[in-house]
Amino acid sequence: AQRVTQPEKLLSVFKGAPVELKCNYSYSGSPELFWYVQYSRQRLQLLLRHISRESIKGFTADLNKGETSFHLKKPFAQEEDSAMYYCALLEGSNYKLTFGKGTLLTVNP
Amino acid sequence: DAMVIQNPRYQVTQFGKPVTLSCSQTLNHNVMYWYQQKSSQAPKLLFHYYDKDFNNEADTPDNFQSRRPNTSFCFLDIRSPGLGDAAMYLCATSRDLGVGDEKLFFGSGTQLSVL
């Protein structure tokens, strides 16, 4: 069963526009969720994790247990935000990270 | 500075010819992972090592093996590559397993082609 769903394969916005990358999860326990990002020709790297309640590069993500969502948001997109974004779920006791299929964000000038 | 290093960046092998992908890390992390990522798909965990303990995912084919001779190095061996094994193979590390150690550090990946 698919545990992490990113419904949008591609997302294109203009610079300065708000952006929201959607992530929904399916997990019976208490979830730990992450966003990873991969810029062009760079390695996959952690962007933020929900337990830290942090804002990285202007991005935030709130865990909504009622909607089983962990959407990534930024109020004003920048061209350098163009990248592949992966939502990931950490599965409990075996500490296995399951990734979504990713959303390719393009921020146009 | 590269902390998780994968060589080579591109690897071409022939159908059925064994191939080994390598990964090294300078972080002294306890855990090393191998992920397979096919085109337009999510990275899929194949197995991981916690120190010397090998943990195979239930759906990882027997064709895939791994070795970790020391803390720094981990190898992915594909005994008889098929066309369906063409993918990007990602190595990752984490300091440990547990709360607060979930951050993965990825290598740049090795793109495997099978002819």
Side-chain angles (χ1 to χ4, degrees), chain A residues 45-92:
Chain A
Q45 57 186 301
L46 180 67
L47 179 62
L48 54 80
R49 64 190 88 182
H50 93 270
I51 56 173
S52 301
R53 292 189 160 273
E54 57 205 342
S55 174
I56 304 294
K57 298 184 179 181
F59 284 97
T60 58
D62 291 319
L63 178 62
N64 186 323
K65 291 186 179 181
E67 296 182 358
T68 60
S69 69
F70 187 57
H71 302 328
L72 183 68
K73 300 177 184 178
K74 185 170 183 176
F76 307 103
Q78 302 299 314
E79 289 180 67
E80 56 265 30
D81 296 328
S82 297
M84 193 73 169
Y85 291 82
Y86 293 93
C87 182
L89 167 72
L90 187 68
E91 298 187 25

Side-chain angles (χ1 to χ4, degrees), chain B residues 2 39-40 50-51 57 72:
Chain B
S39 181
S40 301
Y50 179 71
D51 195 13
E57 292 300 302
S72 301

Side-chain angles (χ1 to χ4, degrees), chain B residues 7-56:
Chain B
N7 285 307
R9 188 67 188 269
Y10 300 94
Q11 175 75 55
V12 181
T13 191
Q14 291 179 326
F15 182 93
K17 184 176 181 180
V19 65
T20 295
L21 309 182
S22 70
C23 176
S24 64
Q25 54 132 338
T26 60
L27 297 163
N28 203 34
H29 282 175
N30 285 323
V31 193
M32 294 187 77
Y33 309 79
W34 279 104
Y35 283 83
Q36 178 194 61
Q37 186 177 23
K38 296 185 178 180
S39 181
S40 301
Q41 295 189 24
K44 178 180 176 297
L45 183 63
L46 295 173
F47 26 60
H48 76 271
Y49 270 96
Y50 179 71
D51 195 13
K52 296 180 182 179
D53 292 333
F54 179 68
N55 298 270
N56 199 33

